[in-house]
Amino acid sequence: MRELPLPLALTARLSPVVVLACAGWALTSGPFAAPPAEDGKAAQHQTRGAGGQSSSEPSAPSSTAVSKTYATAPVPCTSVSAKTITSLVPGAKAAGKEIPSTDTTVRRTCSWNALKDYDYRWLDVSFEIMASDDAAQKSYQQRVSDKSGGGAVPGLGDSAYSVVNLTTEAKQETREGVVIARASNAIVTVTYNGSDFETKKAPSTDEINKGAIKAAKEAAAALEGGHKG
């Protein structure tokens, strides 16, 4: 765009200043000036509203406290007793193996697996810490809706759900149980599965379901037992 000659450019820049100066004179000293306030009452009336509150003062922002019981995820590999590991995963080391996590303060998982004779068992215990109880509730409901066919588990956390499914691949059966429990703003997820490579059959639904629930109850107790924020 072609630049204005210097005098015109200065005029364009100074015009708003002139207009504002004239407006200021009209409001303060000119015909539009307000009459002087008596004993300061008019000025006080202009700056204060009902109840004596200054109309120019910003109102304090409203805030709602976020309910967050748990601040960090507990150590998952010590959340289930050595006795339970020996029972559910024969031949596995009780120490388990923690799965790498991008943020161990909010998500931690431990895994145990072993093949004894021809029986194979796998157990995962996972903790996930949400920002609030509401966030955990929404996540819980979504996970439950993704795994249909199960049922509620009474007496476990604020709410809990378990489901068992059977899969067959190359004539080998595998039965897997999943327990999802919510305790305040934490989600506990247990996955337990097994196969018999000799018979090609899977453990019974009852065995897998009870094993998963047992591990979930111990994990929930570990969460409750000393990891509150």
Side-chain angles (χ1 to χ4, degrees):
M1 183 177 69
R2 185 169 63 88
E3 296 185 357
L4 295 172
L6 183 60
L8 291 178
L10 288 175
T11 302
R13 290 185 180 183
L14 292 176
S15 294
V17 177
V18 174
V19 172
L20 290 175
C22 292
W25 172 84
L27 291 173
T28 57
S29 303
F32 297 104
E38 294 183 7
D39 300 327
K41 291 182 181 180
Q44 184 179 12
H45 176 74
Q46 289 179 357
T47 58
R48 296 189 177 274
Q53 296 295 327
S54 174
S55 59
S56 61
E57 294 178 358
S59 58
S62 60
S63 60
T64 303
V66 176
S67 175
K68 186 175 181 180
T69 302
Y70 301 101
T72 59
V75 179
C77 291
T78 59
S79 64
V80 180
S81 68
K83 181 179 179 181
T84 297
I85 295 301
T86 300
S87 172
L88 298 182
V89 193
K93 294 181 179 180
K97 180 181 180 180
E98 184 162 357
I99 307 301
S101 172
T102 55
D103 189 347
T104 56
T105 61
V106 298
R107 187 179 296 103
R108 299 183 74 172
T109 301
C110 191
S111 180
W112 298 263
N113 63 86
L115 176 65
K116 186 174 183 180
D117 297 329
Y118 293 97
D119 281 336
Y120 181 75
R121 297 291 185 275
W122 182 295
L123 175 68
D124 278 351
V125 174
S126 175
F127 296 95
E128 188 166 356
I129 307 301
M130 302 292 181
S132 66
D133 287 13
D134 287 342
Q137 176 65 14
K138 291 178 181 178
S139 177
Y140 171 80
Q141 291 175 341
Q142 181 61 52
R143 298 179 196 206
V144 168
S145 66
D146 291 340
K147 294 185 177 294
S148 60
V153 181
L156 177 56
D158 295 318
S159 52
Y161 174 87
S162 71
V163 61
V164 178
N165 289 307
L166 176 68
T167 60
T168 303
E169 185 174 349
K171 298 183 179 180
Q172 174 64 58
E173 294 181 352
T174 300
R175 185 166 271 116
E176 180 175 276
V178 177
V179 175
I180 305 167
R182 182 186 73 84
S184 299
N185 64 305
I187 300 288
V188 180
T189 304
V190 170
T191 303
Y192 180 48
N193 63 46
S195 300
D196 187 324
F197 292 124
E198 182 177 30
T199 65
K200 301 275 187 190
K201 299 296 183 183
S204 68
T205 298
D206 190 57
E207 177 184 344
I208 292 297
N209 191 47
K210 285 183 177 179
I213 292 174
K214 180 176 178 61
K217 286 184 175 181
E218 290 189 17
L223 177 71
E224 190 74 23
H227 298 278
K228 288 190 174 181

